[in-house]
Amino acid sequence: MNVLFTVQASQSEFDRPNETVSVVVGKRALLPCYVSLKDVKNNGTDSFKILWMKVNNSAVLTVEDRAINGDSRISILHAYADEWNLQIDEIDEDDAGIYRCFINSGSFKTLQLDVKVPPKIIDDLTTVPYPSPILAGSNFTIKCYAHGKPTPKVRILSYDHSDNVKVISEQNEVTIYNVSRSTSHRYECIASNGYPPDVARSFQITIQYPPEVILSINEEIITNLLFINSNYDEIRLKCQVTMSPFGKIHWMKDSKRVNSNYQVYHIKNYIISEIIIKYLTNDYQGQYTCIASNPYGMNSKSIQILSLPATTTNRNTLRHKRPKHTRFTTVSYSTENLRMITLSSKSINNTYQIILLFCLLITVVYFK
């Protein structure tokens, strides 16, 4: 349909010559067009027709009260003689643009339809919720991009192990440097532009690292190389390992692998391997080593376990002269308490440690 208008300078027929209407995508838009019948008659137009057009594509939408473009979302609200409002249902982004309400005299009113779009995550540009595992010591970049009108603002948050939250960036990308086991594993980005709903995406990262090993005897963490048992009827030797991914744990006694008599179980993020020694014969004495491994490395901790014969001697404390290249702690001997002796040197081996220990014990008994 071709319609010709001669545009006049006077716009007095309308309530206002220009107007902007804002609406959120998916909602209904009402573009008002109020025509002053008195001014129309004063301008010499006794009968008139109203036409709506979208200027961006020169499409005629309605003539009088009829929609003619085939879009079922478009209609005219003409409840009163001077109202010719254009209604568009289920607004989408393509509906944004410039509209004009014409009188066949050539006068018109211009309306700007501004379509607001709530934020939406752009999947192709944003980090996936569960990215591939990250090796400890490497860097990792979190990306978060969102579409919307107006352009959304982005915040990237991190959560610690207690779910305490903090903002780490207000940009679309942030890099976490030198990740480690203690690095936060949970992140979230939130995009907002003032037109609800805001959108969010969570990221759960997995950090892979070699084993870390802690040894304990009877629930006490071992910091020494030698454990002397004098009053326990049972020894619980526990190896606590954290590693990602989970790998293997095994025990060595002296130079032989222990194939039985130990348990393996999980507590939170740890793997626990425990040897329980109930019958303290001479066979239980020796060096015990817990060895843990996964694809990213191996770690181990060792302890030398010896047993002292029972004695009724009162507690005595001896201090020994420090031999070259060797450090001794003060040794307290008692039948009531656990004895820990540290022998540390870069130049001595386990055999020398054991011989030195027995010499020390003989000296203690002799001087008592």
Side-chain angles (χ1 to χ4, degrees), residues 296-361:
Y296 299 103
M298 182 183 73
N299 199 353
S300 65
K301 288 289 178 66
S302 299
I303 183 70
Q304 188 81 29
I305 298 181
L306 298 176
S307 180
L308 292 181
T311 178
T312 58
T313 308
N314 294 329
R315 175 179 298 182
N316 290 280
T317 301
L318 295 178
R319 295 186 182 273
H320 296 269
K321 183 177 179 181
R322 181 183 299 172
K324 187 176 181 181
H325 306 303
T326 307
R327 295 196 306 271
F328 284 86
T329 60
T330 299
V331 179
S332 298
Y333 176 65
S334 171
T335 58
E336 291 79 20
N337 299 313
L338 184 67
R339 297 291 172 257
M340 304 296 293
I341 300 178
T342 302
L343 304 174
S344 60
S345 172
K346 297 182 179 179
S347 61
I348 58 174
N349 55 33
N350 289 333
T351 303
Y352 181 70
Q353 291 178 354
I354 296 172
I355 295 172
L356 192 60
L357 173 67
F358 276 106
C359 291
L360 175 63
L361 295 179

Side-chain angles (χ1 to χ4, degrees), residues 210-215 237-243 247-258 262 264 271-273 275 287-294 297-303:
E212 299 175 12
V213 179
I214 298 176
L215 276 184
L237 182 56
K238 183 182 294 184
C239 179
Q240 177 178 291
V241 179
T242 176
M243 57 180 164
K248 298 179 180 180
I249 300 178
H250 69 275
W251 288 91
M252 300 288 291
K253 181 178 181 293
D254 298 326
S255 59
K256 296 181 180 179
R257 181 163 181 157
V258 178
Y262 67 89
V264 178
I271 306 175
I272 307 295
S273 181
I275 292 179
Q287 178 174 279
Y288 290 80
T289 303
C290 176
I291 303 172
S293 62
N294 72 359
M298 182 183 73
N299 199 353
S300 65
K301 288 289 178 66
S302 299
I303 183 70

Side-chain angles (χ1 to χ4, degrees), residues 19-234:
E19 194 168 347
T20 298
V21 175
S22 295
V23 63
V24 176
V25 69
K27 304 295 184 180
R28 172 182 292 172
L30 187 66
L31 280 62
C33 182
Y34 173 83
V35 179
S36 172
L37 299 179
K38 179 180 178 181
D39 289 335
V40 169
K41 291 180 179 180
N42 290 339
N43 290 333
T45 305
D46 292 330
S47 63
F48 63 93
K49 293 182 179 181
I50 297 294
L51 178 146
W52 275 97
M53 175 184 287
K54 186 174 183 182
V55 177
N56 303 70
N57 56 10
S58 300
V60 177
L61 306 177
T62 67
V63 174
E64 295 186 300
D65 59 354
R66 292 177 290 112
I68 64 171
N69 72 331
D71 190 339
S72 61
R73 300 177 303 134
I74 294 177
S75 60
I76 290 291
L77 295 183
H78 182 46
Y80 301 95
D82 54 0
E83 286 185 355
W84 298 86
N85 301 326
L86 180 68
Q87 178 175 290
I88 307 175
D89 293 330
E90 299 177 3
I91 284 289
D92 61 36
E93 293 183 65
D94 292 336
D95 292 323
I98 298 174
Y99 293 77
R100 280 180 179 164
C101 174
F102 282 96
I103 298 177
N104 58 342
S105 64
S107 299
F108 60 86
K109 175 182 180 178
T110 300
L111 295 98
Q112 173 76 43
L113 178 58
D114 187 14
V115 177
K116 304 297 184 182
V117 182
K120 182 180 180 180
I121 298 293
I122 304 174
D123 291 331
D124 291 343
L125 301 178
T126 300
T127 301
V128 296
Y130 295 93
S132 300
I134 308 156
L135 183 61
S138 60
N139 304 330
F140 177 67
T141 299
I142 297 173
K143 300 180 180 181
C144 182
Y145 288 85
H147 166 78
K149 186 178 180 182
T151 301
K153 295 181 179 179
V154 170
R155 293 174 297 149
I156 300 179
L157 317 175
S158 71
Y159 294 82
D160 64 17
H161 299 290
S162 301
D163 271 348
N164 298 312
V165 61
K166 68 175 181 179
V167 178
I168 60 173
S169 178
E170 293 185 350
Q171 305 298 320
N172 295 103
E173 298 185 9
V174 62
T175 298
I176 314 300
Y177 293 96
N178 192 27
V179 298
S180 66
R181 182 168 68 89
S182 60
T183 300
S184 296
H185 287 61
R186 181 187 165 204
Y187 297 86
E188 184 178 34
C189 83
I190 299 175
S192 59
N193 66 354
Y195 291 92
D198 296 348
V199 292
R201 171 166 291 182
S202 294
F203 313 101
Q204 190 73 34
I205 67 174
T206 300
I207 300 172
Q208 297 184 326
Y209 50 91
E212 299 175 12
V213 179
I214 298 176
L215 276 184
S216 64
I217 289 183
N218 298 344
E219 304 303 330
E220 293 185 9
I221 294 177
I222 295 172
T223 58
N224 299 316
L225 303 177
L226 190 62
F227 174 82
I228 304 176
N229 179 49
S230 62
N231 63 340
Y232 282 102
D233 295 326
E234 177 181 283

